[in-house]
Amino acid sequence: MAALLAGGVLLVSACSGEGESSRDSTYDASEKRDGGSGSSQREPTVAPPGAPAPGAAAEGAPEGIQRDDTYKRSQQPPDYLSTFALDVDTASYGYARRTLKNGGRPQPANVRPEEFINSFRQDYPQPRGDGFSVTVDGARPGASEGEIRGEVGGQEASADDWSLVRVGLATRASDRKAERPPAALTFVIDISGSMAGEGRLDLVRESLGVLTDELRDDDSIAVVTFSGRAETRLPMTRLAGKRDRIHEVIDELRPADSTHVEAGIRTGYDEAVEGWRRGATNRVVLLSDALANTGETNADRILDRIADARSKHGITLFGVGVGSQYGDALMERLTNRGDGHTTYVSTGEEARKVFREQLPSHVELRARDAKAQVVFDQRNVQRFRLIGYENRAVADEDFRDDRVDGGEVGPGHTVTALYAVKLRAGASGHLATATVRWLDPKTRAPHERSGSIETSAVDGSLWQGASNRFQITAVAAYFAESLRGGWLPGAPGLGELASQARELARKTEDPAVEELAESISAAQRLSD
């Protein structure tokens, strides 16, 4: 049973107490907890079953108006609250797939399950306006062939005791022919020696050439390169009548020596501020293998030096990773702190998809600093765990603090969060209430939407009754957890998981799912 909450944003969440601090930890509602992270000393506000989440605007009230007096305070443990920033990154999955194809196994620390899950198309309805649609559904995984057994709280856990809950949100896609704000894009391009290999700088040149032809005449481009030092190759330039010149600059890019990421980003942001356009989407696009070896290499300190460009001018950072050797951790931290997101490309086809289809249509934002918070109902939920999002955790008390960074979401994006949930015996009724908060990209006015899910939404069988897209979500999550040595209820062995993926690829005729099946098979061969 699916609950569709159109016109709202939803929640996605990670327990901001012990339950989200470790990928292998699960919050047990039957245990008394003291301490924990985030708001563990704070008494949470809890909505009654079926009601909006705490502090959400009452029905009929204007957006942005909070009604903190709507519900009474509860004594339930703060671990029932779960808060995090939305994330649309996909680089972790792209790099893992490249590594497996080359005969290697991804480092567990570089595997982020949410980026595996969010790499696949979903079946969520689009909202009519600029808000979000919210879809919440669930299923029971049951025992699978070759099931991997796990422990929770020191005791072996059976898949029969657990359900998977999928929480998804979608923004309205943009019409590429419709009016949109102009884009002012500053490309910061790594031309260090490590970019000389196939599928690196050559792929960057091809990608930027494609994008130059796809952008509109009133869009602007600046080009900064970096190796041992940074250099501005092209100041902010309108595309109208200048495409040939821009192509010349791109075609002249050649690899040099060391990788001074800090110099490149600092110079890139200087150019972005110099060429800043009021009313435009101002963005820095970093194209690199992120293997920094010169100057400052700490992402937080690099971005601290250009903090004003982000806070005063609203300039966001989009990272495009390339190369078989790739500094995944640095790129992910840079884009998280830079109010943006990251992807990874390894082939010309993937690059064309990003630069011809995605970036031109995503130059505008639907939501800025989007955060989600969920309240689980202690009467029905015994344990829960969010799969992934460890790096996106937000303290519960910061949910409505708009100074705290959230995630940026563009047109046509979907965000999915998958939970493992164990209900109490005889559970019935309200399971959780979810609220998402975001700022309008133009006015920075706050907006919220809420929705609830009932226990009846998690009764069906995952492999026999759930939608194809829900099953793909589960396959991606199981695969990610296997690669990083984790466990999920009902996790099949890799052989069975590959078979499920192949069958789903046949049903959906989706090449991306076929690639998923190939990656799982490659991981299985390495494990044999």
Side-chain angles (χ1 to χ4, degrees), residues 6-171:
V9 190
L10 161 178
L11 124 304
V12 296
S13 103
C15 167
S16 64
E18 285 189 42
E20 52 103 312
S21 62
S22 168
R23 68 168 181 258
D24 293 323
S25 64
T26 304
Y27 176 63
D28 186 343
S30 65
E31 300 171 5
K32 183 177 180 180
R33 302 266 179 150
D34 295 316
S37 62
S39 58
S40 58
Q41 304 303 319
R42 182 171 61 85
E43 187 181 60
T45 302
V46 180
E59 184 176 358
E63 287 188 350
I65 301 299
Q66 303 307 313
R67 295 292 303 275
D68 290 328
D69 59 340
T70 304
Y71 304 112
K72 295 180 179 180
R73 295 278 179 174
S74 166
Q75 296 298 322
Q76 74 177 23
D79 291 85
Y80 279 96
L81 284 174
S82 170
T83 310
F84 74 97
L86 303 190
D87 188 9
V88 295
D89 291 357
T90 60
S92 177
Y93 173 66
Y95 185 47
R97 190 158 51 84
R98 167 75 176 264
T99 302
L100 288 163
K101 187 175 182 179
N102 290 344
R105 189 175 181 89
Q107 292 295 319
N110 292 337
V111 176
R112 294 182 291 278
E114 70 275 17
E115 298 186 23
F116 281 55
I117 291 169
N118 285 324
S119 293
F120 298 93
R121 182 164 51 87
Q122 293 289 357
D123 51 6
Y124 310 140
Q126 292 189 9
R128 296 178 181 177
D130 285 342
F132 291 80
S133 70
V134 179
T135 303
V136 186
D137 52 7
R140 293 187 182 275
S144 301
E145 183 177 338
E147 179 185 353
I148 300 170
R149 308 293 288 185
E151 290 188 354
V152 176
Q155 298 181 346
E156 187 175 43
S158 169
D160 294 332
D161 299 333
W162 292 77
S163 297
L164 297 180
V165 174
R166 180 180 66 157
V167 175
L169 64 95
T171 58

Side-chain angles (χ1 to χ4, degrees), residues 361-502:
S361 61
H362 294 168
V363 293
E364 57 181 320
L365 290 176
R366 289 280 187 257
R368 187 182 291 273
D369 285 328
K371 291 173 283 190
Q373 187 171 81
V374 64
V375 180
F376 286 94
D377 194 319
Q378 64 175 324
R379 294 168 297 180
N380 288 317
V381 175
Q382 180 176 338
R383 304 175 188 267
F384 65 92
R385 176 186 165 204
L386 175 64
I387 315 309
Y389 289 94
E390 290 90 353
N391 293 345
R392 305 295 285 166
V394 173
D396 295 332
E397 63 267 26
D398 289 339
F399 179 57
R400 292 191 174 90
D401 185 344
D402 296 328
R403 297 168 298 178
V404 176
D405 284 344
E408 276 56 52
V409 182
H413 274 301
T414 61
V415 178
T416 301
L418 190 68
Y419 286 94
V421 178
K422 184 176 182 180
L423 299 182
R424 296 183 184 278
S428 178
H430 180 246
L431 193 158
T433 294
T435 300
V436 71
R437 180 182 178 90
W438 75 98
L439 303 183
D440 182 278
K442 296 179 181 177
T443 67
R444 294 187 177 264
H447 302 273
E448 292 187 7
R449 288 290 183 270
S450 296
S452 297
I453 183 172
E454 303 292 301
T455 57
S456 57
V458 301
D459 287 340
S461 167
L462 171 62
W463 303 117
Q464 278 73 49
S467 70
N468 290 334
R469 292 293 162 183
F470 188 108
Q471 292 181 35
I472 292 168
T473 298
V475 169
Y478 282 135
F479 182 37
E481 283 298 318
S482 173
L483 289 176
R484 69 175 187 169
W487 173 81
L488 282 179
L494 287 176
E496 174 63 18
L497 198 62
S499 297
Q500 293 283 7
R502 283 192 292 270

Side-chain angles (χ1 to χ4, degrees), residues 282-303:
N282 295 271
R283 183 171 297 169
V284 170
V285 182
L286 174 63
L287 301 103
S288 175
D289 59 13
L291 299 175
N293 57 20
T294 303
E296 181 58 71
T297 60
N298 179 277
D300 292 346
R301 288 195 288 268
I302 290 172
L303 289 174

